[in-house]
């Protein structure tokens, strides 16, 4: 099993930045893909960014050029650097791991972009 704990959310003005962190309860070295997803009120959960164990990244079109996903396998951490934030980025952000044919989710962290 894998427990995931997100942190770093909060209230930020449009154009601002936040860095989300995801701490895993076990080594992520053998977890092929880690990801960040988000869910806005009244909308379906969507993939924001993912990263493989060798650092190959993939982004939703809506965040390309603004968000950067990274992972530190030695610290069992995954990060999401979010720049140039927009009101439409407001959502609960979830860390996700797919490990041994199971999906694992964190509890989520709220990001609110508002002036």
């Amino acid at each position: 099993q894998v427990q995931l704990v997100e942190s770093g959310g909060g209230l930020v003005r449009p154009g601002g930045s936040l860095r989300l962190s995801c701490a895993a309860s076990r080594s992520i070295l053998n977890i092929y893909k880690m990801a960040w997803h988000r869910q806005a009120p009244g909308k379906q959960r969507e993939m924001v960014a993912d990263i493989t164990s060798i650092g190959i990244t993939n982004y939703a079109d809506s965040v390309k050029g603004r968000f950067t996903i990274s992972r530190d396998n030695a610290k069992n951490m995954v990060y999401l650097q979010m720049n140039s934030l927009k009101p439409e980025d407001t959502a609960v952000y979830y860390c996700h791991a797919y490990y041994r044919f199971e999906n694992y989710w964190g509890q989520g962290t709220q990001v609110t972009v508002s002036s």
Side-chain angles (χ1 to χ4, degrees):
Q1 285 196 344
V2 185
Q3 279 81 46
L4 302 169
V5 179
E6 302 96 336
S7 61
L11 173 64
V12 63
R13 294 186 185 277
S17 298
L18 281 175
R19 187 195 194 206
L20 304 184
S21 298
C22 171
S25 62
R26 55 153 292 129
S27 172
I28 64 171
L29 192 60
N30 294 323
I31 298 179
Y32 175 67
K33 187 173 289 186
M34 301 287 297
W36 287 95
H37 295 244
R38 68 185 181 188
Q39 187 166 19
K43 294 188 177 182
Q44 288 191 329
R45 193 173 296 190
E46 62 174 354
M47 193 279 291
V48 175
D50 60 42
I51 183 168
T52 70
S53 55
I54 58 171
I56 298 172
T57 58
N58 179 47
Y59 296 93
D61 287 343
S62 58
V63 306
K64 280 181 181 176
R66 301 188 297 122
F67 291 11
T68 303
I69 188 171
S70 61
R71 63 192 283 170
D72 186 333
N73 291 333
K75 295 182 178 180
N76 304 328
M77 296 290 293
V78 181
Y79 305 99
L80 185 68
Q81 178 66 43
M82 306 186 294
N83 299 328
S84 302
L85 282 161
K86 303 175 181 180
E88 50 263 44
D89 295 318
T90 295
V92 178
Y93 284 71
Y94 298 91
C95 184
H96 172 260
Y98 183 70
Y99 178 63
R100 292 187 176 180
F101 309 109
E102 296 281 347
N103 287 297
Y104 296 94
W105 298 92
Q107 83 288 349
T109 185
Q110 176 71 45
V111 172
T112 302
V113 185
S114 175
S115 55

